[in-house]
């Protein structure tokens, strides 16, 4: 192909390599744009849930499954639950970082009047030094009214599988990212599938930083758009390299 005083004659394998690379880069860019759109909808849903106001939590039991129906519970909405804490049967979520310090997230079951348990995340505590006993954070034993924000159980970035030991062990029990079934088997009774993040202003809690949007949606939409622009730019750069390397003066 002649372009004025220059001739553009790339080898066939060079054109093929460019087409494959550009297709991959563009596909990754489109995927990041789609993720950005999804996160925008997610952020809007979270904001709408926060603005909807408080609602009473009244889960219905499903004894056959040992779980509780949660179709009416909206991620991010503020709920009020009334019951009794069970401080003697707490779960400590392992390997939770806060800055450079390692600690636990304290999950305390709140037993409602109908017998269903709601796991209340009361915040972060620091891990004791080696050789010190496992912390057993206190909680009220009298009836309480708990206010918090609803979310699903915390999941790790990588899931390595494995089973959870549900035998009778001492409390509190240290678990690493249990799902609803793993939490439920610790109690052998209905447990709502999700967490109530204790309001930062409520008493009887620990370090709570729920207002960080990254905690609820992960990477923000702007971040996905930035990654998408990088992938599209790489496709453009690949085209420029193809032209520069194979453009010769006639």
């Amino acid at each position: 192909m002649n372009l004025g005083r220059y001739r553009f004659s790339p080898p066939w394998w060079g054109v093929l390599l460019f087409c494959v690379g550009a297709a991959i880069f563009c596909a990754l860019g489109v995927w990041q744009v789609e993720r950005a759109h999804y996160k925008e909808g997610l952020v809007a849903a979270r904001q709408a849930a926060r603005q909807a106001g408080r609602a009473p939590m009244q889960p219905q039991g499903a004894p056959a499954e040992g779980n509780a129906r949660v179709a009416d519970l909206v991620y991010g909405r503020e709920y009020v639950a009334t019951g009794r804490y069970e401080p003697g049967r707490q779960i400590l979520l392992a390997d939770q970082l806060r800055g450079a310090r390692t600690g636990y997230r304290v999950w305390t079951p709140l037993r409602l009047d109908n017998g269903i348990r709601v796991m209340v995340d009361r915040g972060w505590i620091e891990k004791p030094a080696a050789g010190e006993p496992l912390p057993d954070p206190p909680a009220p034993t009298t009836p309480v009214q708990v206010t918090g924000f609803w979310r699903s159980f915390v999941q790790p970035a990588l899931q390595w599988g494995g089973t959870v030991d549900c035998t009778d062990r001492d409390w509190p029990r240290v678990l690493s990212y249990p799902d609803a079934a793993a939490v439920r088997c610790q109690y052998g009774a209905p447990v709502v599938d999700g967490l109530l993040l204790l309001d930062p202003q409520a008493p009887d809690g620990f370090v709570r930083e729920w207002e960080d949007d990254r905690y609820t949606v992960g990477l923000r939409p702007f971040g996905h758009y930035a990654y998408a622009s990088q992938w599209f730019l790489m496709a453009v750069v690949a085209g420029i390299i193809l032209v520069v390397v194979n453009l010769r003066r006639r």
Side-chain angles (χ1 to χ4, degrees), residues 15-31 231-232 234-235 238:
V15 176
L16 178 62
L17 184 63
F18 163 73
C19 291
V20 173
I24 294 175
F25 294 149
C26 290
L28 291 171
V30 170
W31 174 68
W231 287 119
F232 290 135
M234 290 179 68

Side-chain angles (χ1 to χ4, degrees), residues 186-197:
Q186 306 298 320
Y187 302 97
V191 178
V192 181
D193 186 357
L195 287 170
L196 189 64
L197 307 183

Side-chain angles (χ1 to χ4, degrees), residues 132-241:
E132 295 185 3
L134 195 67
D136 191 7
T141 56
T142 57
V144 294
Q145 188 176 74
V146 178
T147 302
F149 300 99
W150 187 251
R151 68 155 298 163
S152 56
F153 282 111
V154 182
Q155 294 298 315
L158 294 175
Q159 184 67 51
W160 299 103
T163 59
V164 176
D165 183 8
C166 295
T167 58
D168 294 334
R169 293 180 292 159
D170 293 335
W171 297 92
R173 295 180 181 174
V174 178
L175 301 180
S176 180
Y177 296 103
D179 57 14
V183 173
R184 186 168 60 245
C185 74
Q186 306 298 320
Y187 302 97
V191 178
V192 181
D193 186 357
L195 287 170
L196 189 64
L197 307 183
L198 186 63
D199 189 292
Q201 306 303 322
D204 307 317
F206 308 100
V207 179
R208 288 156 285 174
E209 298 173 340
W210 314 141
E211 295 305 318
D212 188 348
D213 288 339
R214 292 173 297 175
Y215 181 84
T216 56
V217 300
L219 185 64
R220 301 298 300 275
F222 175 79
H224 288 289
Y225 284 125
Y227 281 125
S229 64
Q230 291 177 1
W231 287 119
F232 290 135
L233 181 60
M234 290 179 68
V236 174
V237 170
I240 294 175
I241 293 174

Side-chain angles (χ1 to χ4, degrees), residues 80-85 110-112 139-146 204:
V80 179
T82 303
R84 288 177 178 268
Y85 278 130
L110 179 72
R111 185 169 184 144
L112 308 181
T141 56
T142 57
V144 294
Q145 188 176 74
V146 178
D204 307 317

Side-chain angles (χ1 to χ4, degrees), residues 48-179:
R50 292 291 181 91
Q51 297 171 359
R54 296 179 181 178
M57 179 179 287
Q58 298 175 336
Q60 297 177 346
E65 300 177 2
N67 204 343
R69 295 194 295 270
V70 292
D72 58 334
L73 297 179
V74 180
Y75 190 131
R77 187 170 184 183
E78 189 175 18
Y79 288 95
V80 179
T82 303
R84 288 177 178 268
Y85 278 130
E86 294 182 325
R89 307 184 71 185
Q90 297 185 107
I91 291 175
L92 300 179
L93 184 64
D95 303 323
Q96 301 302 299
L97 296 177
R98 184 172 184 266
R101 296 182 296 172
T102 304
Y104 304 103
R105 292 261 296 279
V106 181
W107 292 2
T108 306
L110 179 72
R111 185 169 184 144
L112 308 181
D113 294 337
N114 58 6
I116 296 176
R117 289 177 173 84
V118 176
M119 301 305 298
V120 180
D121 190 331
R122 298 199 290 143
W124 180 91
I125 60 173
E126 189 169 5
K127 185 177 182 179
E132 295 185 3
L134 195 67
D136 191 7
T141 56
T142 57
V144 294
Q145 188 176 74
V146 178
T147 302
F149 300 99
W150 187 251
R151 68 155 298 163
S152 56
F153 282 111
V154 182
Q155 294 298 315
L158 294 175
Q159 184 67 51
W160 299 103
T163 59
V164 176
D165 183 8
C166 295
T167 58
D168 294 334
R169 293 180 292 159
D170 293 335
W171 297 92
R173 295 180 181 174
V174 178
L175 301 180
S176 180
Y177 296 103
D179 57 14

